[in-house]
Amino acid sequence: MKTLLIVYHTMTGGTQQMAEAAAQAAREQEGVAVRLQRAQACGPADVLAADGYLFATPENLAAMSGIMKDFFDRSYYGVLDRVNGRPYAAMICAGSDGQNALRQVERIATGWRLKSVAPGVIVCTHAQTPERILARKVLGAEDLARCAEVGAGLAAGLALGVF
Ligand SMILES: Cc1cc2nc3c(=O)[nH]c(=O)nc-3n(C[C@H](O)[C@H](O)[C@H](O)COP(=O)(O)O)c2cc1C
């Protein structure tokens, strides 16, 4: 049985909803074990034990969140050259942009020689005042459906061995 690892960090809940939507859709596919893990609790052994990946992070200060970066920092060299060719996708929760966080995740995935199997998903919350940025996020059904599609696609591809 193949394993899909979904690694995420969240501060105000948006990325968590994205990761959970993807995980739920992935679990509807047969033949794949889905592991949904917070970045804080995830390290190189988890990456090595999986067959495909979904990385989900907020964009903070035009970068992936520090805790997501910490996961990659702790994992990078223990994994390098041991996951070449495995499939991945990335999702970003952003207030207004998200592009740079996506670029950063893609760059690290390129370093790991992972294979991108879906375009990055950026969900924009349009939170631009301090109050709204710090408020708990509730994402819309359309945005969550985009995340579910990525999770289902990754899981189905892993199960069928098409990547
Ligand atoms: C310190 C901080 C910096 C942020 N910087 C950006 C940014 O550079 N670009 C952007 O689009 N959103 C930015 N945001 C907004 C967050 O991306 C947005 O609130 C998103 O919902 C966070 O995801 P989360 O709900 O999973 O924590 C920032 C939020 C915080 C708290």
Side-chain angles (χ1 to χ4, degrees), residues 56-89:
T57 177
E59 176 166 278
N60 287 349
L61 306 178
M64 78 175 85
S65 71
I67 287 170
M68 196 68 183
K69 175 70 161 37
D70 171 72
F71 153 71
F72 283 117
D73 288 348
R74 287 184 290 101
S75 304
Y76 190 80
Y77 282 105
V79 164
L80 190 62
D81 281 332
R82 300 173 72 186
V83 293
N84 295 11
R86 294 184 192 175
Y88 89 97

Side-chain angles (χ1 to χ4, degrees), residues 80-102:
L80 190 62
D81 281 332
R82 300 173 72 186
V83 293
N84 295 11
R86 294 184 192 175
Y88 89 97
M91 303 191 302
I92 311 296
C93 191
S96 56
D97 187 350
Q99 294 289 346
N100 209 45
L102 180 59

Side-chain angles (χ1 to χ4, degrees), residues 9-18 57-63 92-99 123-125 127 132-137 139:
H9 172 245
T10 193
M11 196 168 90
T12 54
T15 316
Q16 181 170 359
Q17 289 159 53
M18 295 171 69
T57 177
E59 176 166 278
N60 287 349
L61 306 178
I92 311 296
C93 191
S96 56
D97 187 350
Q99 294 289 346
V123 169
C124 187
T125 62
R132 288 195 62 203
I133 283 175
L134 293 176
R136 185 124 200 104
K137 304 296 180 299
L139 303 187

